[in-house]
Amino acid sequence: MRIHVQNPPDELLFPITPEQWDTALARHPDLTGLEITFSNDPAGLEPALAEAEVVVTWTKIVHAQMMQGDLARRAPKLRMVFCTSAGIDRLLPLDWLPPGAALLNNRGTHARKAGEFGIMALLMLANHVPFFADRQREGQWQPRFGRVLAGRKVVVVGLGTLGGAIAEHAKQFGMHVTGVRHGTAPHSACDVVVPQARLDEVLPEAEFLVLACPLTPETQGLMDRRRFELLPKGAMLFNIGRGPLWDQDALCDLLDSGHLGAAVTDVAVPEPLPPEHRLWRTPNLFVTPHMSADDPDTYNDSSLDILLNNIRAMRAGQVLPNRVRPELGY
Amino acid sequence: MRIHVQNPPDELLFPITPEQWDTALARHPDLTGLEITFSNDPAGLEPALAEAEVVVTWTKIVHAQMMQGDLARRAPKLRMVFCTSAGIDRLLPLDWLPPGAALLNNRGTHARKAGEFGIMALLMLANHVPFFADRQREGQWQPRFGRVLAGRKVVVVGLGTLGGAIAEHAKQFGMHVTGVRHGTAPHSACDVVVPQARLDEVLPEAEFLVLACPLTPETQGLMDRRRFELLPKGAMLFNIGRGPLWDQDALCDLLDSGHLGAAVTDVAVPEPLPPEHRLWRTPNLFVTPHMSADDPDTYNDSSLDILLNNIRAMRAGQVLPNRVRPELGY
């Protein structure tokens, strides 16, 4: 089976290396007969497509080089496109994918790192860190006391890898956790799980709100002005999903007015956020540059394990655990 | 037994109220015969001293109104001065205390809140939050990826309430924890405990350093320039103790030079820090205004429980758990 890894030409931190591949393969000794090629030259992709059954690459490369043109003709043996990210919203809809080929994301890779970032964000909100960041700009020593997380209510929208890991930490800190998900399956870290259609019912109780769901047509603009206003006064928010999950202007307006207490966001529209953007300047809003879920020390090892587990499943004719379902978009 | 509570005249968040006292006493029904008086007028202290066996008050009030003059004569029945804070460094040495009277602090009150703040600070450092706070000032979207805490080394100086609680959280996140304390007693959250005299030996391995010890003549200036230079390049620091535990100028110099990676401090010299102070402007340094350990929701309830436990011990002729030992200064 021919696998091709197409790295971006300019990637310094996260390129997949032959050494990482060899080490990963040694962890999966039952998987034999895998041949691999590597390229970090955009021109290297097209010839590799002719032979590859599996392409391992970045969403931006799929977006720039694979979605256009007749992929089925260019990649006649293609069975699997494995993206080294979890969010694949810009590849939707999946009408470009050849019949018989699956798109996979690397969900699962981000659990530990995103879980730590998520509980950090909740603690930063509880301790007024966004407020103190604003005061530091001004050189103003202005104590404001925070409260512990125990006993307080958090609503986590999305119970995949990210939301699930954050919910686990929140539970460990004694919070009351309400999960919001596509279905109604229970979750071990949640006191309550409700379907997305009942989001409006749980917002008035949300002292803390975490957005950790994928961006799909169903979730785009999920937190609009009306839903922000359903939150209790002083509510605190954390977005680790995607910028378009919320209405950024409404967010800023309601932070300005004081209806919302504070927010931390690791995502924005657009990314990178230009220097003059309102998000940088809105009080009680702390912005991090989309780095919450990626740990360079473990990222590729974890992604390659996930890839190899999916190749094993494919060979056994089983459901691919990381297949993006076209009807859901994640 | 007469107890007098002297609140500051201007205290909005933390004054001890008669309602809090009644509720606390109901949690300790065995303690009978306690009479209580309250004042928030500085002029109310002197007449109360004539009768009180126990004075419950703030360190700043002890400093301003009790340390001067012949306290033994003014407070002939005094057996206990209970301070509603843990750090009593500005009351040292305790030569003003009448023979037969004990000074108590409220250590123990701050465990949960300080523990949460401490793990937040470690996560903020691991995730480059001080760096991103600087970038937000400039409106610069500049990703820098952090690593999870698991497997990384933290040295916690001081294993009292604050340091102990932080060490517990660090252990739960999978860190390797080295404790530094006055003695050599082991600690359940620490992989290793060393006495303060061996601090120099553990600094070169400290990816993270937490200062959580009391300020005493032995700890003043503990982290001087030489010891900062013993830390590995890129080391990250958190001070939840007192500003004079470290040399602030050396800290800023070594953050400027890049030898130190980042720092979070909840304490400073002086407090409040004036707007023009270098600490506000040093890169990769995040300042919070001495609010890390105090939770207004639970603070007084917890302090009053500690007070009542000590009164019970005094009546039983036992060692007072919260007595400040004059020879140690904490």
Side-chain angles (χ1 to χ4, degrees), chain B residues 202-222:
Chain B
V202 297
L203 290 178
E205 297 287 309
E207 285 184 80
F208 297 87
L209 178 71
V210 174
L211 297 183
C213 55
L215 177 62
T216 69
E218 273 186 70
T219 61
Q220 173 130 15
L222 184 70

Side-chain angles (χ1 to χ4, degrees), chain A residues 211-222:
Chain A
L211 297 183
C213 55
L215 178 62
T216 69
E218 272 185 71
T219 61
Q220 172 131 13
L222 184 70

Side-chain angles (χ1 to χ4, degrees), chain B residues 114-133:
Chain B
E116 287 196 1
F117 197 96
I119 194 68
M120 176 192 79
L122 293 177
L123 289 165
M124 284 172 63
L125 291 166
N127 283 290
H128 308 303
V129 168
F131 174 81
F132 296 132

